[in-house]
Amino acid sequence: MISEELQQLLLKYCEPEDQLLQHIDRETNLKVLMPRMLSGHYQGRVLSLLSKMISPKRILEIGTFTGYATLCLAEGLAQDGIIYTLDINEELEDMVRENFAKSPLGAKIKYILGDAQQSIARLNETFDLVFIDADKKNNGTYYDLIFDHVRSGGLIIVDNVLWSGKIVNNAQDKDTKNISSFNDKINEDQRVEKLILPVRDGLFVIRKK
């Protein structure tokens, strides 16, 4: 959505990746199908900074992939904080657990495999920050499931809400229509303050009033 020149400028003026994040990026691109699903350097720094701004005690991430965003979000956790990260892809389990084990934040990460809706129903927590980055058709479902479990002033962040620019171009495929409907749902929700950051594929940043 932005030029390569601007992307390089943005990277120049943000915090660097640590060695583990560089490793995850490289291994994901070499070994995993659809590596574009990885948050990547710049978006990772955005997620890290948002997390650090509110020092959450409890984070929920829906959609782990290879764990890059998980570690970025975990950087902001309070000393006694925990991040729950949910995913259904068992094929990536060994890679993900290895990545988390290499991190000094690994003890704060609760990695849960299975159907996300069922996993959410079993969690008895109040969250300060939720990051939704899973199957896009269920964005609205996940939002509704977690909303009452987010504290007032807490953040809900949803990825891929610009869908490679297809939202702007009013594309008529099913995925684009689903994302557009979700965006409209958030825009009409008077319980929250919200804006879309044109970071990578679009981050909807939503603050519960």
Side-chain angles (χ1 to χ4, degrees):
M1 300 232 3
I2 62 174
S3 68
E4 180 62 27
E5 291 79 10
L6 180 52
Q7 179 67 27
Q8 292 306 312
L9 183 69
L10 295 174
L11 291 174
K12 178 181 178 180
Y13 289 106
C14 77
E15 295 296 304
E17 288 177 304
D18 64 28
Q19 289 186 347
L20 177 55
L21 292 176
Q22 291 178 16
H23 169 78
I24 295 172
D25 190 320
R26 182 171 58 253
E27 291 295 291
T28 301
N29 277 280
L30 286 173
K31 300 178 179 179
V32 180
L33 292 174
M34 298 180 68
R36 189 178 180 279
M37 291 170 58
L38 186 95
S39 286
H41 183 182
Y42 185 72
Q43 180 170 304
R45 292 305 87 206
V46 172
L47 294 174
S48 172
L49 193 57
L50 289 171
S51 182
K52 289 173 180 176
M53 284 177 173
I54 63 172
S55 297
K57 289 189 175 182
R58 293 292 183 270
I59 300 174
L60 174 63
E61 178 186 40
I62 305 172
T64 311
F65 196 42
T66 53
Y68 190 104
T70 316
L71 292 171
C72 294
L73 291 164
E75 291 174 16
L77 280 168
Q79 187 171 358
D80 57 347
I82 294 172
I83 178 169
Y84 295 90
T85 183
L86 315 180
D87 207 281
I88 199 167
N89 190 345
E90 296 180 355
E91 292 182 2
L92 293 176
E93 180 180 5
D94 290 345
M95 175 185 285
V96 173
R97 291 197 184 279
E98 183 179 339
N99 290 337
F100 292 162
K102 291 176 180 177
S103 171
L105 300 169
K108 296 185 174 186
I109 300 170
K110 306 298 183 185
Y111 176 45
I112 302 171
L113 283 169
D115 180 88
Q117 296 182 44
Q118 295 177 16
S119 298
I120 292 167
R122 289 192 291 266
L123 292 176
N124 184 26
E125 296 277 12
T126 298
F127 296 102
D128 306 290
L129 192 160
V130 176
F131 181 47
I132 300 174
D133 186 17
D135 51 322
K136 308 310 169 187
K137 68 179 182 296
N138 281 316
N139 279 349
T141 300
Y142 297 137
Y143 180 83
D144 291 338
L145 282 173
I146 59 91
F147 192 86
D148 290 340
H149 299 281
V150 178
R151 68 165 173 85
S152 295
L155 296 181
I156 303 167
I157 305 171
V158 186
D159 198 9
N160 305 113
V161 295
L162 296 179
W163 206 232
S164 301
K166 291 183 179 180
I167 296 297
V168 179
N169 297 325
N170 294 314
Q172 296 301 303
D173 61 279
K174 188 174 181 179
D175 287 338
T176 305
K177 287 183 176 181
N178 284 337
I179 292 170
S180 183
S181 294
F182 174 77
N183 293 348
D184 290 340
K185 174 187 176 77
I186 302 305
N187 193 45
E188 294 165 4
D189 191 342
Q190 298 303 308
R191 303 170 297 173
V192 298
E193 301 169 89
K194 60 275 185 180
L195 58 78
I196 293 177
L197 295 178
V199 172
R200 200 162 168 268
D201 202 23
L203 288 176
F204 220 141
V205 181
I206 303 157
R207 179 183 181 272
K208 185 175 178 179
K209 292 180 181 177

